[in-house]
Amino acid sequence: SRHGRQYIKKLHGDETIMNIAKKSKLSTMSMRPNFDVGRGTSGEDVYSIVADMMERTFTIRNDKDEVVAQVAKTTKALIQTAVFGSGSESTIDIAPGVDCSTILAIVFGLGQVGTHFVKDGLNNYVVEPIKDSITGGLIETAGLEGVAQAYTDVSNDAIHESHKLAKFQKFCSK
């Protein structure tokens, strides 16, 4: 869409867990920014988000129209935005029983919707496919497909083990 759509993917792999899209002011008949959050790449809308006119506060509602989270920029962030042009500190109030990681993924994705539309389009449809093609061609030509896959597997395992170690260290430090 011309307003942009942000796809939120898992850390490992290409599985898209949700997408966030800005709705047009004409379709919502509102001057306030509205967003929809859907499952996967094009799934049903699960959450709706309405911001205030200045996009300082956001209300996240589930498909039953219940408020599940409130996001507000802090005074410090508002001052930084006024002085320096950007300030990202926010407070997030999440309702009991709501998955915090889902809400955080929505908040991070929300900041990206439509902001890099042209750049993302160029990267997604021109630059990245060319890079992938060149890299794949070089690996194939050199006969290194097995080595490249082994390296990917080992690096993914190393990251997984480092996350386990960090959790263990955090547990022991308490």
Side-chain angles (χ1 to χ4, degrees):
S1 77
R2 93 181 163 85
H3 298 290
R5 181 175 296 275
Q6 187 68 32
Y7 295 98
I8 310 298
K9 295 183 177 185
K10 285 189 172 183
L11 178 62
H12 301 292
D14 288 334
E15 183 183 350
T16 301
I17 55 173
M18 69 179 73
N19 68 81
I20 303 173
K22 188 170 187 177
K23 296 169 74 174
S24 73
K25 289 180 177 27
L26 186 62
S27 71
T28 61
M29 301 299 247
S30 171
M31 291 304 294
R32 298 170 65 186
N34 284 262
F35 302 86
D36 279 333
V37 179
R39 293 186 202 279
T41 55
S42 60
E44 70 202 56
D45 290 339
V46 181
Y47 296 102
S48 62
I49 304 166
V50 178
D52 68 2
M53 294 283 286
M54 301 300 290
E55 294 189 29
R56 293 173 297 180
T57 62
F58 296 89
T59 301
I60 303 173
R61 296 178 180 274
N62 62 13
D63 55 355
K64 298 173 189 161
D65 205 33
E66 301 167 329
V67 174
V68 294
Q70 289 276 115
V71 181
K73 286 190 177 182
T74 63
T75 304
K76 179 181 174 183
L78 295 174
I79 292 169
Q80 287 176 338
T81 302
V83 175
F84 302 114
S86 70
S88 60
E89 187 176 275
S90 297
T91 58
I92 305 170
D93 292 324
I94 302 173
V98 176
D99 182 20
C100 295
S101 60
T102 300
I103 299 300
L104 290 176
I106 290 170
V107 170
F108 287 125
L110 196 56
Q112 297 297 314
V113 175
T115 57
H116 305 290
F117 186 62
V118 174
K119 180 180 153 201
D120 287 348
L122 180 66
N123 280 336
N124 290 341
Y125 298 108
V126 179
V127 176
E128 290 301 322
I130 290 172
K131 283 171 39 181
D132 288 345
S133 177
I134 291 170
T135 304
L138 289 173
I139 289 172
E140 240 178 68
T141 302
L144 299 173
E145 295 97 344
V147 174
Q149 185 59 48
Y151 171 76
T152 301
D153 293 343
V154 167
S155 63
N156 286 343
D157 289 343
I159 290 170
H160 181 70
E161 294 302 319
S162 70
H163 287 290
K164 281 184 185 177
L165 182 59
K167 286 180 184 177
F168 180 71
Q169 285 175 328
K170 188 174 180 179
F171 175 77
C172 289
S173 67
K174 288 183 179 182

